[in-house]
Amino acid sequence: MSFQFKQFSVKQEQTAMKIGTDSVLLGAWTPLEQPQSILDIGAGTGLLALMLAQRCDALTIDAVEIDEHAYIECTENFEASPWGDRLFCYHASFEEFFTEMDEPYDLIISNPPFYPTDYKTPEKARNTARFSDALPPKQLLEGVNRLLAIEGKFSVILPYTESEGFITLAATFGLFPQQITHTRGNAQSELKRSMMLFARAPQASYPIDILTIEKERGVYTEAYKALTKEFYLK
């Protein structure tokens, strides 16, 4: 079962978490300032890294994935893409990765696991892919702080309800919001996700906006279509 995008396809038979709107949104939304090196934390199928490879000329695009099946599939997706020479996936936990690596990255991106620890599914791989005790926010931010270049940027998507707490925690690691877009399903629905860009320099003010995905069921807003038009076939 492959998911076909305009310039690449993604196999996702083995990966616990299939391609979803969150990753597509983050990969399309993340502002790029000609990064030379990029890291995708918790790569899954490798979608975020592939999207950024399409969007920029970064020479190094690394990914790290703890689940063996997802790692294998991610590597296959990288090799099958037009940018295989720039993409590489490491099979490791993020903690293992950031304690051993010392080269900084210009851009770090992550769609991390984010359901609370008291809710579980019976499927172990899906739990690992989707629950925050697999990669606690503090550990994520510790690693980002270690690996982010001085002028680097960190892009992440989280539930809207967790965004304020994450911003507060990020500040303790010297990481501060530069831009935020909240998303919601339609104009009547509650805010669902927050896409946030962080950097080391605090900003007195920064842009915050809202992206509405659908006008009605199956009818997408112009803003959503404009954001994702370089990737979706339809």
Side-chain angles (χ1 to χ4, degrees):
M1 183 175 64
S2 292
F3 195 104
Q4 187 66 45
F5 291 91
K6 282 187 176 177
Q7 295 190 36
F8 60 91
S9 64
V10 175
K11 285 171 57 180
Q12 53 178 354
E13 291 95 343
Q14 305 299 320
T15 308
M17 290 309 297
K18 309 306 181 189
I19 290 168
T21 305
D22 288 357
S23 283
V24 176
L25 280 171
L26 186 65
W29 173 86
T30 297
L32 298 180
E33 297 172 4
Q34 297 182 312
Q36 290 305 299
S37 55
I38 296 172
L39 174 65
D40 175 8
I41 301 167
T45 59
L47 175 60
L48 285 173
L50 288 160
M51 292 181 74
L52 295 180
Q54 178 181 320
R55 290 183 58 205
C56 75
D57 297 323
L59 296 174
T60 300
I61 304 178
D62 290 339
V64 57
E65 173 55 52
I66 189 172
D67 180 76
E68 184 178 5
H69 295 297
Y71 156 74
I72 292 169
E73 204 154 54
C74 179
T75 299
E76 290 173 350
N77 288 330
F78 284 177
E79 290 172 350
S81 79
W83 316 286
D85 58 332
R86 297 192 281 138
L87 292 156
F88 187 83
C89 188
Y90 292 85
H91 182 212
S93 72
F94 184 49
E95 186 173 27
E96 289 171 322
F97 183 83
F98 73 69
T99 52
E100 292 180 15
M101 301 294 281
D102 49 17
E103 284 294 316
Y105 291 91
D106 298 327
L107 173 65
I108 298 177
I109 191 167
S110 185
N111 175 11
F114 50 51
Y115 290 135
T117 56
D118 57 357
Y119 178 77
K120 287 281 188 278
T121 74
E123 190 184 333
K124 184 182 175 187
R126 192 174 172 87
N127 283 344
T128 302
R130 262 290 156 264
F131 293 96
S132 50
D133 51 348
L135 181 58
K138 188 173 182 180
Q139 188 183 85
L140 173 62
L141 287 162
E142 179 189 352
V144 169
N145 182 37
R146 285 202 196 191
L147 294 175
L148 191 65
I150 297 299
E151 300 289 327
K153 299 290 196 297
F154 168 48
S155 182
V156 65
I157 186 166
L158 290 170
Y160 171 73
T161 53
E162 294 185 22
S163 59
E164 285 303 320
F166 192 85
I167 290 168
T168 302
L169 183 62
T172 68
F173 289 94
L175 296 166
F176 306 94
Q178 311 289 299
Q179 185 174 336
I180 296 176
T181 295
H182 303 301
T183 74
R184 61 188 176 193
N186 58 57
Q188 285 72 47
S189 55
E190 296 180 354
L191 297 177
K192 186 180 182 184
R193 299 281 187 260
S194 297
M195 298 185 288
M196 300 180 285
L197 188 74
F198 291 85
R200 297 192 185 278
Q203 297 269 80
S205 64
Y206 50 87
I208 301 175
D209 61 2
I210 295 173
L211 174 68
T212 304
I213 295 173
E214 291 182 319
K215 298 178 194 173
E216 56 187 80
R217 192 72 181 158
V219 180
Y220 295 101
T221 63
E222 295 307 315
Y224 178 77
K225 288 192 286 188
L227 183 63
T228 59
K229 70 180 188 299
E230 297 303 320
F231 298 99
Y232 283 136
L233 291 171
K234 295 180 181 179

